[in-house]
Amino acid sequence: MLEIHATALSAQIASYHEFLSRYSKTAKVVYGFVEGKEDPCFYRGFIDHLLPEDWDVELWPAGKRDQVYRVHADMDWGRFPKTRVCFFVDRDLSSLIPEVLATDSNIYVTDSYSIENDLVRRGTCRRVLSEVCALGTLDHGELDTVCDLFEMELEKFLAGMVPTMAWILHWRRSGKRATLNDILMKDLFNFTSGALRANPTPKGKANPVQYIHEKCNVVHDATVDIAHLEAEFRKGGAYRHFTRGKYVFWFLIEFCCSVRASVKKHFKSCTKVPPMNVTFVAANGMTIIGNRARIPKSLKTFLTGNYCAYIDAVVA
């Protein structure tokens, strides 16, 4: 135990400490580290589907991506099987900065900006509308039409976010620190019956550029021309993959809530807004939506090659 605590203190990451105290050579458990507190809701559902029913997974949020990598670097890989202990991190803007990410066979890096991007799909939208917003008993043809609207408005949203993401890219490349959570999508956009509308003067500011700079406490340099960054962000459809995941996730939640609020416009047979059994907001969105998305192909391959391979080797 003294060795365990000494190792944990050297890492200075609480989740690593807990892992070391929980780790068992004989337990039917696989282990993993993620970034944020909501990430286990996303990953655990996919992992559980692939594990034998008598096996379990324990996931720990380590904090930021660098902290996940720190835990990986501090691991004694002579003691822990790599296929049993995995690490899950967001790609972020690393493909555009550019930034070299640490790689290893047991490190999974999301295909897009973050795990939230993998949730925002037509199929997920349909399930949320049917199962969460209580629209599952309504006409399926009309539901298809709403999902068509979702795809159209999502493209409008992603295209509308290009200038903001270009500035974020500029800040990152310039080493400027900005709290991106302070940029609120509800200030920049709103919905009317599922249709997205941009707000040209968010929170009374002259324009969105002034708004995002003031919210992030970054001085706006009017001499900076980000046109080339916008072009870079659009090239090859990069904006469809690298718009910040939490912003895209907001779109999914608000679109679905807007459709439900205006349900009589979209569904001829519906005369009133159906009641929901849960409160559905961004704060609990991952918990509600996480298990309603399809597993990304890259994640399934990763889990099969690590956790499943470890279990197969143990039980053989």
Side-chain angles (χ1 to χ4, degrees):
M1 286 301 296
L2 289 174
E3 179 186 352
I4 288 174
H5 286 287
T7 305
L9 289 172
S10 69
Q12 297 183 344
I13 297 177
S15 57
Y16 189 24
H17 187 151
E18 186 176 358
F19 161 77
L20 291 171
S21 65
R22 289 278 302 170
Y23 183 81
S24 168
K25 290 184 178 180
T26 58
K28 291 185 175 182
V29 179
V30 292
Y31 304 92
F33 291 87
V34 298
E35 294 187 38
K37 294 180 179 180
E38 294 181 346
D39 292 358
C41 296
F42 176 81
Y43 286 110
R44 183 176 289 115
F46 292 138
I47 295 169
D48 283 341
H49 281 303
L50 295 176
L51 298 183
E53 61 181 22
D54 56 340
W55 280 77
D56 198 5
V57 59
E58 294 185 4
L59 299 174
W60 286 279
K64 297 181 180 179
R65 184 176 61 192
D66 289 347
Q67 292 173 297
V68 177
Y69 282 139
R70 171 72 182 276
V71 175
H72 179 274
D74 285 345
M75 282 281 182
D76 178 1
W77 293 116
R79 177 183 175 189
F80 306 111
K82 277 193 172 183
T83 50
R84 189 183 189 188
V85 185
C86 293
F87 300 79
F88 304 85
V89 297
D90 294 339
R91 186 171 299 276
D92 207 319
L93 291 174
S94 59
S95 297
L96 298 174
I97 289 178
E99 179 183 14
V100 178
L101 301 181
T103 59
D104 205 341
S105 59
N106 62 344
I107 298 177
Y108 176 75
V109 182
T110 57
D111 297 323
S112 301
Y113 188 105
S114 69
I115 59 172
E116 287 92 345
N117 297 72
D118 289 320
L119 292 176
V120 184
R121 299 285 187 269
R122 180 189 180 100
T124 310
C125 176
R126 188 183 184 94
R127 288 196 63 180
V128 171
L129 290 171
S130 299
E131 301 167 16
V132 180
C133 296
L135 305 180
T137 60
L138 302 179
D139 184 89
H140 284 215
E142 291 176 325
L143 189 57
D144 285 337
T145 300
V146 171
C147 290
D148 291 340
L149 176 64
F150 164 80
E151 292 185 318
M152 182 175 67
E153 297 303 305
L154 175 59
E155 176 65 18
K156 184 190 301 182
F157 171 76
L158 295 175
M161 282 299 295
V162 167
T164 296
M165 291 306 304
W167 276 110
I168 291 173
L169 181 58
H170 169 69
W171 297 340
R172 294 287 295 276
R173 286 178 174 173
S174 304
K176 292 182 172 63
R177 298 179 64 87
T179 307
L180 302 185
N181 286 337
D182 289 344
I183 300 176
L184 304 181
M185 294 299 101
K186 67 178 182 179
D187 294 339
L188 295 174
F189 301 95
N190 59 73
F191 283 93
T192 302
S193 301
L196 185 73
R197 298 287 184 271
N199 183 0
T201 56
K203 299 297 285 185
K205 305 304 178 184
N207 51 57
V209 173
Q210 185 184 93
Y211 166 82
I212 64 174
H213 279 81
E214 291 194 17
K215 291 293 286 187
C216 293
N217 197 28
V218 176
V219 176
H220 178 216
D221 185 350
T223 65
V224 174
D225 183 2
I226 63 165
H228 67 288
L229 295 178
E230 292 185 15
E232 184 178 344
F233 212 76
R234 292 188 179 95
K235 185 178 180 180
Y239 68 97
R240 296 191 179 101
H241 302 285
F242 298 112
T243 298
R244 189 168 186 257
K246 285 182 171 54
Y247 300 159
V248 183
F249 195 57
W250 172 89
F251 172 90
L252 172 63
I253 294 174
E254 294 303 316
F255 173 85
C256 291
C257 290
S258 176
V259 168
R260 176 181 170 271
S262 57
V263 66
K264 290 186 286 185
K265 176 179 178 179
H266 301 285
F267 297 89
K268 297 178 181 178
S269 62
C270 191
T271 57
K272 62 179 181 179
V273 177
M276 287 200 304
N277 296 322
V278 296
T279 301
F280 184 42
V281 293
N284 66 349
M286 183 61 77
T287 303
I288 294 174
I289 298 176
N291 63 353
R292 289 181 164 87
R294 289 190 178 185
I295 183 171
K297 183 179 179 180
S298 62
L299 178 58
K300 184 175 182 179
T301 300
F302 174 84
L303 296 175
T304 302
N306 284 280
Y307 290 155
C308 295
Y310 170 79
I311 295 171
D312 289 344
V314 168
V315 302

